[in-house]
Amino acid sequence: MATIKAAILGFGTVGQGIYHVVNEKRAQLKAKLGVELEIVKILVRDTKNERVPGTAALLTDSIEDVLAVDGLQVVFEAIVDEEPAFTYLKRAVEQRCHVITANKVMFAKRGMELQQLAKTKGVHVGYEATVAGGVPIIKTMKNILLVNDVSRIQGILNGTTNYMLTKMRQENWSYDEALAEAQRLGYAEADPYNDVSGQDAFKKIMVLCDLAFGEQPNWDDVDVIGINTLTTEQLEDAKAKGLRYRHVAEAEKLEDGTIVAKVAPQLVAPDHPLYPIDDVFNAVAMETNYIGTLTVTGPGAGMYPTASVMVEDYAEIIGKRAGFTVSI
Amino acid sequence: MATIKAAILGFGTVGQGIYHVVNEKRAQLKAKLGVELEIVKILVRDTKNERVPGTAALLTDSIEDVLAVDGLQVVFEAIVDEEPAFTYLKRAVEQRCHVITANKVMFAKRGMELQQLAKTKGVHVGYEATVAGGVPIIKTMKNILLVNDVSRIQGILNGTTNYMLTKMRQENWSYDEALAEAQRLGYAEADPYNDVSGQDAFKKIMVLCDLAFGEQPNWDDVDVIGINTLTTEQLEDAKAKGLRYRHVAEAEKLEDGTIVAKVAPQLVAPDHPLYPIDDVFNAVAMETNYIGTLTVTGPGAGMYPTASVMVEDYAEIIGKRAGFTVSI
């Protein structure tokens, strides 16, 4: 039986999750796809730190080592920041590897470029994990777009701030109390800037703009307002009125074709699709022309949700090939 | 450019919707898929009744006429009841047509058989429209199942009863008042039995059992309880406690591998994924091993939502082929 060789770039939470899912699901993937998936290299900074027992022999700190693997076909990428991630994936695509990424910072800026290049090379780019963790919003939207037009997207795309807003409402916690608890639970980083400022959600809504509209607005024209602007009085007032603050990332294609987007706390009423989404959940509501409004809700982060959608990207890519070899 | 010839069986609301969507999206589908889709025959009972202007020449009351079309490749089916729909689709598959159905009554009973046959013939069966109208639950679940296991499904799969329960709670209407209004709005049939008894939702959860678990429970072992058993006192009591009655179709794979299912009114609390789903909306919550609970929500019926997911089935089927010809 054929074996597909794959590498993982970055071996933090998500990278380790990919390794676990691939190994736990080895037999099932083989049975479904007719090929075996083997992780043959893992790119890390410190090869002396064997984070998962049994992986020492796979670790390397050199991208050259990774790309030199004979017959490498798939690269999973779970690094942060634009570089060197983009350069690594570009090189992988150039040598005709399928690439599967969880890197929203890189993908928001360079995703279209990477996809264009992949097209010319006849390989695929999986990026489900760049937006909303385990929520399969990319595949759902791709499918919808085969026939429907999407005119507007509204999402809760950051679980940390949604958790904080939920607790501030339910428990009357202050912003500082909610942040401290989010940090204690591991939802927020020691430096919570990317989450609370809206920058994280901003990158994700830009990825969705590329998919839904084929283009992004000029980044400088997008207002990105964090949840740290909300006062206790505003929250109390909302509660008294039966409304809820959500940290909403939204994008819309106007009648004249212009794309507008913003990230900001918004007051939503009980009939709004994002009203019931509490705690660390993510949700995306899409307005479409034929179907109406579709909402997808689920866990927006975490080792296993994020890693499993990346392995699903792999299965989808490989499954297409295998399916076709059989059916033509 | 190649043209794909397709037929529509049944020209009621959904059948007409397919015709409209195919024509409205002709250019877009052609651009995306590289082939044109042409409706060449429409099977109806009464060929004298031209329901959509310009279709008279396409109408036939003979399935022989339909299947005799030279080069027919796709059959859309939007009839009700098991027969003659199953026999027609079986014949279509035997002559290597892809089939796309909205017929839950037929598919709940004969779906596995039809899919098995299609596999041996190298064609595809699209059945997104059999469950939850415009909500893409079949594709979402298929994708999730590439890597995740689904252990439990809970759905609001009938928009009519969800509308009625919503109004009974919000407006304090009686069951009879809610039913009368649902009929006035066209949500409920003159004979509402299939909706209010739970039989409609039962068929849909059986289709989901086939997909999620590869098998259905014995139909005789499934309790199917309608909403007409609810008393005004129960509804008032629920409201006082901050709970809501939902008409829930659910299925679960137990530890020992047994599949159990039921359809019944259930009291749900605010943290339940089906709590916020009001009016004619449908929703399906899936419990998975890696991702956790995923919920998909949207319009569960209607000409355009249902027809558009059927045309998406077509685009997905044809797109795979076209994609492969190019990328190999």
Side-chain angles (χ1 to χ4, degrees), chain A residues 147-181:
Chain A
V147 175
N148 282 263
D149 299 316
V150 171
S151 53
R152 191 170 182 224
I153 307 161
Q154 290 191 301
I156 293 175
L157 298 178
N158 182 282
T160 308
T161 52
N162 203 52
Y163 169 82
M164 289 172 63
L165 288 177
T166 301
K167 291 300 178 185
M168 288 160 78
R169 183 189 86 238
Q170 288 176 343
E171 315 287 342
N172 295 314
W173 288 356
S174 69
Y175 171 88
D176 290 334
E177 287 172 311
L179 177 58
E181 185 63 9

mmCIF file of all heavy atoms in Angstrom, chain A residues 147-181:
data_model
loop_
_atom_site.group_PDB
_atom_site.id
_atom_site.type_symbol
_atom_site.label_atom_id
_atom_site.label_comp_id
_atom_site.label_asym_id
_atom_site.label_seq_id
_atom_site.Cartn_x
_atom_site.Cartn_y
_atom_site.Cartn_z
ATOM 1 N N VAL A 147 -23.101 27.661 -5.394
ATOM 2 C CA VAL A 147 -24.362 28.106 -6.001
ATOM 3 C C VAL A 147 -24.850 29.425 -5.406
ATOM 4 O O VAL A 147 -25.391 30.278 -6.099
ATOM 5 C CB VAL A 147 -25.452 27.018 -5.841
ATOM 6 C CG1 VAL A 147 -26.786 27.512 -6.360
ATOM 7 C CG2 VAL A 147 -25.038 25.736 -6.575
ATOM 8 N N ASN A 148 -24.658 29.608 -4.109
ATOM 9 C CA ASN A 148 -25.115 30.822 -3.454
ATOM 10 C C ASN A 148 -24.059 31.926 -3.508
ATOM 11 O O ASN A 148 -22.867 31.664 -3.652
ATOM 12 C CB ASN A 148 -25.410 30.543 -1.973
ATOM 13 C CG ASN A 148 -26.736 29.847 -1.755
ATOM 14 O OD1 ASN A 148 -27.738 30.476 -1.461
ATOM 15 N ND2 ASN A 148 -26.751 28.529 -1.914
ATOM 16 N N ASP A 149 -24.535 33.162 -3.363
ATOM 17 C CA ASP A 149 -23.635 34.273 -3.100
ATOM 18 C C ASP A 149 -23.719 34.588 -1.612
ATOM 19 O O ASP A 149 -24.806 34.526 -1.027
ATOM 20 C CB ASP A 149 -24.061 35.516 -3.888
ATOM 21 C CG ASP A 149 -24.034 35.254 -5.383
ATOM 22 O OD1 ASP A 149 -23.060 34.638 -5.855
ATOM 23 O OD2 ASP A 149 -24.993 35.641 -6.065
ATOM 24 N N VAL A 150 -22.600 34.912 -1.007
ATOM 25 C CA VAL A 150 -22.603 35.350 0.386
ATOM 26 C C VAL A 150 -22.489 36.865 0.374
ATOM 27 O O VAL A 150 -21.580 37.415 -0.249
ATOM 28 C CB VAL A 150 -21.436 34.717 1.172
ATOM 29 C CG1 VAL A 150 -21.303 35.338 2.556
ATOM 30 C CG2 VAL A 150 -21.626 33.202 1.280
ATOM 31 N N SER A 151 -23.437 37.543 1.017
ATOM 32 C CA SER A 151 -23.421 39.001 0.980
ATOM 33 C C SER A 151 -22.858 39.591 2.261
ATOM 34 O O SER A 151 -22.355 40.704 2.275
ATOM 35 C CB SER A 151 -24.831 39.542 0.755
ATOM 36 O OG SER A 151 -25.707 38.991 1.713
ATOM 37 N N ARG A 152 -22.939 38.816 3.358
ATOM 38 C CA ARG A 152 -22.527 39.367 4.649
ATOM 39 C C ARG A 152 -22.112 38.242 5.576
ATOM 40 O O ARG A 152 -22.705 37.156 5.555
ATOM 41 C CB ARG A 152 -23.707 40.118 5.260
ATOM 42 C CG ARG A 152 -23.352 40.944 6.464
ATOM 43 C CD ARG A 152 -24.560 41.814 6.798
ATOM 44 N NE ARG A 152 -24.310 42.672 7.922
ATOM 45 C CZ ARG A 152 -25.192 42.854 8.912
ATOM 46 N NH1 ARG A 152 -26.366 42.233 8.896
ATOM 47 N NH2 ARG A 152 -24.908 43.649 9.909
ATOM 48 N N ILE A 153 -21.090 38.491 6.361
ATOM 49 C CA ILE A 153 -20.584 37.514 7.328
ATOM 50 C C ILE A 153 -20.495 38.209 8.672
ATOM 51 O O ILE A 153 -19.972 39.319 8.763
ATOM 52 C CB ILE A 153 -19.152 37.062 6.944
ATOM 53 C CG1 ILE A 153 -19.084 36.577 5.501
ATOM 54 C CG2 ILE A 153 -18.649 35.980 7.901
ATOM 55 C CD1 ILE A 153 -17.657 36.570 4.939
ATOM 56 N N GLN A 154 -21.012 37.571 9.702
ATOM 57 C CA GLN A 154 -20.825 38.088 11.055
ATOM 58 C C GLN A 154 -20.326 36.941 11.909
ATOM 59 O O GLN A 154 -20.933 35.865 11.920
ATOM 60 C CB GLN A 154 -22.139 38.592 11.633
ATOM 61 C CG GLN A 154 -22.642 39.860 10.978
ATOM 62 C CD GLN A 154 -23.791 40.454 11.770
ATOM 63 O OE1 GLN A 154 -24.812 39.811 11.959
ATOM 64 N NE2 GLN A 154 -23.603 41.661 12.267
ATOM 65 N N GLY A 155 -19.241 37.151 12.630
ATOM 66 C CA GLY A 155 -18.705 36.045 13.398
ATOM 67 C C GLY A 155 -18.210 36.417 14.774
ATOM 68 O O GLY A 155 -17.777 37.546 15.012
ATOM 69 N N ILE A 156 -18.327 35.457 15.678
ATOM 70 C CA ILE A 156 -17.573 35.509 16.926
ATOM 71 C C ILE A 156 -16.376 34.621 16.662
ATOM 72 O O ILE A 156 -16.508 33.397 16.592
ATOM 73 C CB ILE A 156 -18.409 34.979 18.104
ATOM 74 C CG1 ILE A 156 -19.569 35.937 18.376
ATOM 75 C CG2 ILE A 156 -17.536 34.814 19.356
ATOM 76 C CD1 ILE A 156 -20.525 35.438 19.432
ATOM 77 N N LEU A 157 -15.224 35.227 16.432
ATOM 78 C CA LEU A 157 -14.069 34.495 15.924
ATOM 79 C C LEU A 157 -12.942 34.403 16.944
ATOM 80 O O LEU A 157 -11.872 33.893 16.638
ATOM 81 C CB LEU A 157 -13.562 35.159 14.639
ATOM 82 C CG LEU A 157 -14.564 35.186 13.484
ATOM 83 C CD1 LEU A 157 -13.970 35.923 12.279
ATOM 84 C CD2 LEU A 157 -14.970 33.775 13.093
ATOM 85 N N ASN A 158 -13.207 34.911 18.148
ATOM 86 C CA ASN A 158 -12.191 34.809 19.191
ATOM 87 C C ASN A 158 -12.842 34.291 20.466
ATOM 88 O O ASN A 158 -13.679 34.962 21.065
ATOM 89 C CB ASN A 158 -11.543 36.183 19.407
ATOM 90 C CG ASN A 158 -10.448 36.122 20.447
ATOM 91 O OD1 ASN A 158 -10.710 36.087 21.643
ATOM 92 N ND2 ASN A 158 -9.208 36.055 19.995
ATOM 93 N N GLY A 159 -12.460 33.098 20.862
ATOM 94 C CA GLY A 159 -13.085 32.453 22.019
ATOM 95 C C GLY A 159 -12.741 33.136 23.335
ATOM 96 O O GLY A 159 -13.553 33.174 24.263
ATOM 97 N N THR A 160 -11.539 33.704 23.413
ATOM 98 C CA THR A 160 -11.107 34.333 24.660
ATOM 99 C C THR A 160 -11.993 35.516 25.028
ATOM 100 O O THR A 160 -12.487 35.620 26.150
ATOM 101 C CB THR A 160 -9.639 34.824 24.517
ATOM 102 O OG1 THR A 160 -8.858 33.738 24.050
ATOM 103 C CG2 THR A 160 -9.109 35.334 25.828
ATOM 104 N N THR A 161 -12.203 36.399 24.041
ATOM 105 C CA THR A 161 -13.014 37.586 24.363
ATOM 106 C C THR A 161 -14.472 37.199 24.556
ATOM 107 O O THR A 161 -15.182 37.822 25.347
ATOM 108 C CB THR A 161 -12.900 38.662 23.262
ATOM 109 O OG1 THR A 161 -13.173 38.065 21.991
ATOM 110 C CG2 THR A 161 -11.510 39.259 23.247
ATOM 111 N N ASN A 162 -14.926 36.144 23.861
ATOM 112 C CA ASN A 162 -16.314 35.740 24.075
ATOM 113 C C ASN A 162 -16.501 35.166 25.474
ATOM 114 O O ASN A 162 -17.512 35.415 26.134
ATOM 115 C CB ASN A 162 -16.760 34.715 23.025
ATOM 116 C CG ASN A 162 -18.266 34.689 22.863
ATOM 117 O OD1 ASN A 162 -18.895 35.732 22.648
ATOM 118 N ND2 ASN A 162 -18.869 33.519 23.010
ATOM 119 N N TYR A 163 -15.498 34.427 25.929
ATOM 120 C CA TYR A 163 -15.525 33.915 27.304
ATOM 121 C C TYR A 163 -15.578 35.080 28.292
ATOM 122 O O TYR A 163 -16.391 35.101 29.217
ATOM 123 C CB TYR A 163 -14.285 33.057 27.566
ATOM 124 C CG TYR A 163 -14.106 32.710 29.015
ATOM 125 C CD1 TYR A 163 -14.805 31.641 29.577
ATOM 126 C CD2 TYR A 163 -13.260 33.460 29.832
ATOM 127 C CE1 TYR A 163 -14.664 31.339 30.926
ATOM 128 C CE2 TYR A 163 -13.107 33.168 31.175
ATOM 129 C CZ TYR A 163 -13.810 32.112 31.720
ATOM 130 O OH TYR A 163 -13.677 31.811 33.050
ATOM 131 N N MET A 164 -14.730 36.077 28.067
ATOM 132 C CA MET A 164 -14.677 37.219 28.992
ATOM 133 C C MET A 164 -15.996 37.977 29.017
ATOM 134 O O MET A 164 -16.528 38.291 30.086
ATOM 135 C CB MET A 164 -13.524 38.154 28.595
ATOM 136 C CG MET A 164 -12.143 37.557 28.885
ATOM 137 S SD MET A 164 -10.793 38.572 28.206
ATOM 138 C CE MET A 164 -11.012 40.109 29.143
ATOM 139 N N LEU A 165 -16.564 38.252 27.840
ATOM 140 C CA LEU A 165 -17.838 38.979 27.791
ATOM 141 C C LEU A 165 -18.956 38.163 28.450
ATOM 142 O O LEU A 165 -19.849 38.722 29.094
ATOM 143 C CB LEU A 165 -18.221 39.299 26.338
ATOM 144 C CG LEU A 165 -17.395 40.376 25.644
ATOM 145 C CD1 LEU A 165 -17.847 40.532 24.195
ATOM 146 C CD2 LEU A 165 -17.501 41.713 26.383
ATOM 147 N N THR A 166 -18.908 36.844 28.275
ATOM 148 C CA THR A 166 -19.925 35.993 28.887
ATOM 149 C C THR A 166 -19.860 36.095 30.408
ATOM 150 O O THR A 166 -20.885 36.272 31.085
ATOM 151 C CB THR A 166 -19.710 34.521 28.458
ATOM 152 O OG1 THR A 166 -19.776 34.447 27.036
ATOM 153 C CG2 THR A 166 -20.765 33.613 29.063
ATOM 154 N N LYS A 167 -18.638 36.014 30.949
ATOM 155 C CA LYS A 167 -18.478 36.066 32.408
ATOM 156 C C LYS A 167 -18.800 37.452 32.963
ATOM 157 O O LYS A 167 -19.364 37.585 34.044
ATOM 158 C CB LYS A 167 -17.050 35.665 32.795
ATOM 159 C CG LYS A 167 -16.756 34.198 32.551
ATOM 160 C CD LYS A 167 -17.704 33.317 33.357
ATOM 161 C CE LYS A 167 -17.484 31.844 33.102
ATOM 162 N NZ LYS A 167 -18.477 30.992 33.793
ATOM 163 N N MET A 168 -18.422 38.482 32.208
ATOM 164 C CA MET A 168 -18.722 39.849 32.660
ATOM 165 C C MET A 168 -20.239 40.047 32.753
ATOM 166 O O MET A 168 -20.732 40.743 33.646
ATOM 167 C CB MET A 168 -18.081 40.866 31.703
ATOM 168 C CG MET A 168 -16.546 40.938 31.839
ATOM 169 S SD MET A 168 -15.707 41.671 30.397
ATOM 170 C CE MET A 168 -16.010 43.419 30.680
ATOM 171 N N ARG A 169 -20.974 39.402 31.844
ATOM 172 C CA ARG A 169 -22.435 39.526 31.883
ATOM 173 C C ARG A 169 -23.039 38.630 32.965
ATOM 174 O O ARG A 169 -23.832 39.079 33.781
ATOM 175 C CB ARG A 169 -23.021 39.127 30.519
ATOM 176 C CG ARG A 169 -24.532 39.291 30.435
ATOM 177 C CD ARG A 169 -25.107 38.682 29.155
ATOM 178 N NE ARG A 169 -25.386 37.274 29.322
ATOM 179 C CZ ARG A 169 -24.872 36.296 28.579
ATOM 180 N NH1 ARG A 169 -24.036 36.584 27.593
ATOM 181 N NH2 ARG A 169 -25.187 35.052 28.818
ATOM 182 N N GLN A 170 -22.629 37.341 32.943
ATOM 183 C CA GLN A 170 -23.272 36.378 33.838
ATOM 184 C C GLN A 170 -22.882 36.567 35.306
ATOM 185 O O GLN A 170 -23.705 36.390 36.195
ATOM 186 C CB GLN A 170 -22.902 34.952 33.411
ATOM 187 C CG GLN A 170 -23.572 34.495 32.130
ATOM 188 C CD GLN A 170 -23.094 33.099 31.711
ATOM 189 O OE1 GLN A 170 -22.071 32.613 32.172
ATOM 190 N NE2 GLN A 170 -23.856 32.461 30.834
ATOM 191 N N GLU A 171 -21.602 36.872 35.528
ATOM 192 C CA GLU A 171 -21.086 36.914 36.902
ATOM 193 C C GLU A 171 -20.813 38.334 37.388
ATOM 194 O O GLU A 171 -20.303 38.506 38.502
ATOM 195 C CB GLU A 171 -19.770 36.107 36.987
ATOM 196 C CG GLU A 171 -19.765 34.747 36.298
ATOM 197 C CD GLU A 171 -20.582 33.720 37.078
ATOM 198 O OE1 GLU A 171 -20.847 33.948 38.272
ATOM 199 O OE2 GLU A 171 -20.962 32.699 36.469
ATOM 200 N N ASN A 172 -21.112 39.299 36.548
ATOM 201 C CA ASN A 172 -20.826 40.704 36.866
ATOM 202 C C ASN A 172 -19.343 40.962 37.154
ATOM 203 O O ASN A 172 -19.000 41.848 37.939
ATOM 204 C CB ASN A 172 -21.675 41.178 38.054
ATOM 205 C CG ASN A 172 -23.141 41.172 37.712
ATOM 206 O OD1 ASN A 172 -23.552 41.644 36.649
ATOM 207 N ND2 ASN A 172 -23.943 40.617 38.605
ATOM 208 N N TRP A 173 -18.460 40.156 36.530
ATOM 209 C CA TRP A 173 -17.044 40.380 36.731
ATOM 210 C C TRP A 173 -16.606 41.643 35.996
ATOM 211 O O TRP A 173 -17.190 42.020 34.965
ATOM 212 C CB TRP A 173 -16.229 39.220 36.157
ATOM 213 C CG TRP A 173 -16.333 37.960 36.939
ATOM 214 C CD1 TRP A 173 -16.998 37.764 38.118
ATOM 215 C CD2 TRP A 173 -15.767 36.688 36.569
ATOM 216 N NE1 TRP A 173 -16.876 36.451 38.508
ATOM 217 C CE2 TRP A 173 -16.126 35.775 37.584
ATOM 218 C CE3 TRP A 173 -15.000 36.248 35.500
ATOM 219 C CZ2 TRP A 173 -15.732 34.435 37.544
ATOM 220 C CZ3 TRP A 173 -14.610 34.921 35.466
ATOM 221 C CH2 TRP A 173 -14.965 34.020 36.485
ATOM 222 N N SER A 174 -15.541 42.250 36.487
ATOM 223 C CA SER A 174 -14.930 43.365 35.770
ATOM 224 C C SER A 174 -14.102 42.790 34.614
ATOM 225 O O SER A 174 -13.822 41.583 34.576
ATOM 226 C CB SER A 174 -14.008 44.151 36.710
ATOM 227 O OG SER A 174 -12.874 43.348 37.021
ATOM 228 N N TYR A 175 -13.685 43.660 33.718
ATOM 229 C CA TYR A 175 -12.807 43.257 32.616
ATOM 230 C C TYR A 175 -11.541 42.583 33.167
ATOM 231 O O TYR A 175 -11.133 41.530 32.683
ATOM 232 C CB TYR A 175 -12.445 44.510 31.797
ATOM 233 C CG TYR A 175 -11.384 44.283 30.749
ATOM 234 C CD1 TYR A 175 -11.740 43.855 29.470
ATOM 235 C CD2 TYR A 175 -10.044 44.503 31.038
ATOM 236 C CE1 TYR A 175 -10.761 43.639 28.512
ATOM 237 C CE2 TYR A 175 -9.068 44.292 30.087
ATOM 238 C CZ TYR A 175 -9.429 43.858 28.823
ATOM 239 O OH TYR A 175 -8.462 43.649 27.882
ATOM 240 N N ASP A 176 -10.956 43.182 34.208
ATOM 241 C CA ASP A 176 -9.714 42.631 34.758
ATOM 242 C C ASP A 176 -9.919 41.254 35.387
ATOM 243 O O ASP A 176 -9.081 40.362 35.232
ATOM 244 C CB ASP A 176 -9.111 43.596 35.786
ATOM 245 C CG ASP A 176 -8.554 44.850 35.112
ATOM 246 O OD1 ASP A 176 -8.187 44.757 33.915
ATOM 247 O OD2 ASP A 176 -8.515 45.904 35.764
ATOM 248 N N GLU A 177 -11.039 41.097 36.077
ATOM 249 C CA GLU A 177 -11.328 39.785 36.677
ATOM 250 C C GLU A 177 -11.511 38.726 35.594
ATOM 251 O O GLU A 177 -11.012 37.604 35.694
ATOM 252 C CB GLU A 177 -12.602 39.849 37.530
ATOM 253 C CG GLU A 177 -12.436 40.588 38.855
ATOM 254 C CD GLU A 177 -13.774 40.802 39.568
ATOM 255 O OE1 GLU A 177 -14.741 41.287 38.912
ATOM 256 O OE2 GLU A 177 -13.861 40.497 40.768
ATOM 257 N N ALA A 178 -12.247 39.086 34.548
ATOM 258 C CA ALA A 178 -12.507 38.130 33.456
ATOM 259 C C ALA A 178 -11.201 37.764 32.747
ATOM 260 O O ALA A 178 -10.970 36.595 32.418
ATOM 261 C CB ALA A 178 -13.508 38.722 32.460
ATOM 262 N N LEU A 179 -10.349 38.757 32.535
ATOM 263 C CA LEU A 179 -9.080 38.486 31.869
ATOM 264 C C LEU A 179 -8.191 37.577 32.728
ATOM 265 O O LEU A 179 -7.580 36.628 32.227
ATOM 266 C CB LEU A 179 -8.354 39.812 31.573
ATOM 267 C CG LEU A 179 -6.966 39.675 30.936
ATOM 268 C CD1 LEU A 179 -7.019 38.900 29.619
ATOM 269 C CD2 LEU A 179 -6.348 41.063 30.705
ATOM 270 N N ALA A 180 -8.155 37.841 34.025
ATOM 271 C CA ALA A 180 -7.322 37.037 34.924
ATOM 272 C C ALA A 180 -7.788 35.572 34.889
ATOM 273 O O ALA A 180 -6.970 34.654 34.835
ATOM 274 C CB ALA A 180 -7.397 37.590 36.348
ATOM 275 N N GLU A 181 -9.097 35.365 34.906
ATOM 276 C CA GLU A 181 -9.619 33.997 34.885
ATOM 277 C C GLU A 181 -9.339 33.329 33.529
ATOM 278 O O GLU A 181 -8.993 32.149 33.470
ATOM 279 C CB GLU A 181 -11.129 33.991 35.203
ATOM 280 C CG GLU A 181 -11.751 32.622 35.325
ATOM 281 C CD GLU A 181 -11.200 31.767 36.482
ATOM 282 O OE1 GLU A 181 -10.441 32.288 37.319
ATOM 283 O OE2 GLU A 181 -11.520 30.558 36.509
#
